[in-house]
Amino acid sequence: MSTMAPDLQPVTKPAASKPKPIDRLLMQIIGYVALTLLAVFCIFPFILVLSSSLTDESKIIEDGFQLIPTSFSLEAYGILFKYPQEMLKAYGVTISVTLLGTLFGLFLTSMTAYVLARKDFKWRSHFSFFFFFTTLFSGGLVPWYLLIVNYLDLKDTLLVLILPMLMNVFYIIVMKSFMSSIPEAIIESAKIDGAGDFQIYLQFVIPLSKPALATIGLFIALGYWNDWYNALLFISNSDLMPLQYYLYRLLGNMDGMRKAMMAAGAVVSSDIPTESLKMAMTIVATGPIMIAYPFIQRYFVQGLTIGAVKG
């Protein structure tokens, strides 16, 4: 007697409901509005600084900082560029230091990170600890000053603005994390073809690390561009003053002159554009970096996220 098996119906999962066009449009509108407001909030301080640099000092003292200048004045920029040769000289020093420091800093940082990322380098844990140890302890300002001035004899040289900031442990760690995400098979296949370590580094690792190089390069360039502390310690020659230190000294001289003249009763406080001068200095100092940033912005987020996730 034969028994017939009951028909088995396949179990089907309910299809996922797709978002309706109206819901998708609503989410897009909310996203665009939120991003637009965020962009406005980000650009608002810069517009305020630009407006304040073009406002008369007396109006700033009376009404405070305003988004739209009510009393237009170029006096602050006139003071900044009163001696254009000194300003251009300071710009030249800063640009030279930034270019050279970024180039050599990227080269040394990427080479160090590549060595630490190689799993066949048996001493990489020891060297990683050595680099990390320097972030916890330092010799202090006085030994560092004596080393730079007495032993290395770098005072009043262009190298003193480059060498102290040439390598940063944090940048090495980020670069190492990124290079660790490069497939090992690429390096092994290059070795099979007879490529040496330095050839692998130049022809394979560097082209694959462009996002990380752009990110770290931006960090290094910003550090060199904004540096004034090393110039304060080691530069006394006016021909070697970088832009930030030149502006720092100019602002200090203006503040000193203002206080001296106010104490003597020779001039009212609004005759010297101190506040608008600060804003004009901000525009002059940050303008070139803001212009250069959009060209490498597309690499910026990719370099950081890949290095962080794959680390």
Side-chain angles (χ1 to χ4, degrees):
M1 187 173 180
S2 61
T3 59
M4 298 183 64
D7 294 337
L8 299 177
Q9 297 294 333
V11 179
T12 58
K13 297 182 179 180
S17 60
K18 296 182 178 180
K20 297 180 180 180
I22 185 65
D23 296 336
R24 187 180 307 169
L25 178 62
L26 181 61
M27 292 300 296
Q28 289 180 351
I29 293 175
I30 294 175
Y32 283 126
V33 171
L35 290 177
T36 302
L37 291 176
L38 182 62
V40 171
F41 289 148
C42 291
I43 202 173
F44 178 81
F46 180 76
I47 297 177
L48 184 63
V49 170
L50 179 61
S51 173
S52 301
S53 68
L54 299 173
T55 303
D56 186 74
E57 182 74 10
S58 59
K59 278 294 181 181
I60 295 179
I61 296 176
E62 293 176 4
D63 304 329
F65 298 104
Q66 296 182 351
L67 191 61
I68 299 176
T70 56
S71 179
F72 186 80
S73 174
L74 292 175
E75 186 178 1
Y77 290 97
I79 293 177
L80 274 181
F81 293 97
K82 186 176 182 180
Y83 304 101
Q85 293 182 350
E86 295 183 2
M87 177 67 73
L88 292 177
K89 191 181 300 181
Y91 255 116
V93 172
T94 297
I95 292 174
S96 302
V97 169
T98 301
L99 291 178
L100 293 175
T102 303
L103 179 63
F104 288 105
L106 268 181
F107 180 68
L108 294 177
T109 300
S110 58
M111 278 208 312
T112 306
Y114 170 64
V115 172
L116 297 179
R118 289 287 297 269
K119 296 180 180 179
D120 55 347
F121 179 51
K122 64 179 182 179
W123 295 100
R124 68 172 188 157
S125 298
H126 300 79
F127 279 94
S128 298
F129 175 77
F130 172 77
F131 285 115
F132 178 72
F133 184 82
T134 61
T135 64
L136 303 177
F137 303 96
S138 64
L141 177 60
V142 174
W144 180 52
Y145 183 87
L146 293 177
L147 173 67
I148 297 295
V149 175
N150 294 345
Y151 293 94
L152 299 181
D153 196 19
L154 295 177
K155 186 176 176 62
D156 284 330
T157 62
L158 203 62
L159 287 177
V160 79
L161 301 176
I162 299 176
L163 293 182
M165 302 174 58
L166 201 57
M167 296 185 68
N168 187 292
V169 177
F170 173 74
Y171 302 157
I172 294 175
I173 294 174
V174 174
M175 187 74 72
K176 170 183 172 294
S177 301
F178 186 93
M179 290 183 175
S180 298
S181 65
I182 298 177
E184 196 71 25
I186 296 178
I187 298 177
E188 292 179 357
S189 61
K191 283 185 177 181
I192 294 174
D193 292 338
D197 289 329
F198 196 72
Q199 186 178 3
I200 294 173
Y201 162 75
L202 287 179
Q203 298 183 1
F204 295 93
V205 176
I206 290 299
L208 293 174
S209 303
K210 286 182 179 179
L213 290 173
T215 304
I216 301 303
L218 177 62
F219 285 155
I220 296 176
L222 285 175
Y224 278 111
W225 186 270
N226 294 324
D227 179 51
W228 59 272
Y229 187 66
N230 288 327
L232 175 65
L233 293 177
F234 305 115
I235 297 297
S236 57
N237 186 356
S238 59
D239 294 334
L240 296 176
M241 287 184 186
L243 177 64
Q244 301 291 348
Y245 183 53
Y246 173 78
L247 297 178
Y248 170 80
R249 289 191 58 181
L250 179 61
L251 183 61
N253 294 336
M254 292 293 296
D255 283 336
M257 184 187 304
R258 179 180 179 179
K259 292 178 181 178
M261 297 180 74
M262 287 179 62
V267 67
V268 295
S269 61
S270 60
D271 288 348
I272 301 178
T274 306
E275 298 300 327
S276 58
L277 182 63
K278 294 177 183 178
M279 301 303 172
M281 286 180 178
T282 303
I283 297 298
V284 170
T286 60
I289 290 294
M290 294 184 64
I291 294 174
Y293 177 77
F295 294 99
I296 57 177
Q297 188 268 342
R298 64 192 183 99
Y299 295 108
F300 186 76
V301 176
Q302 183 182 0
L304 280 184
T305 53
I306 294 179
V309 174
K310 295 293 184 178

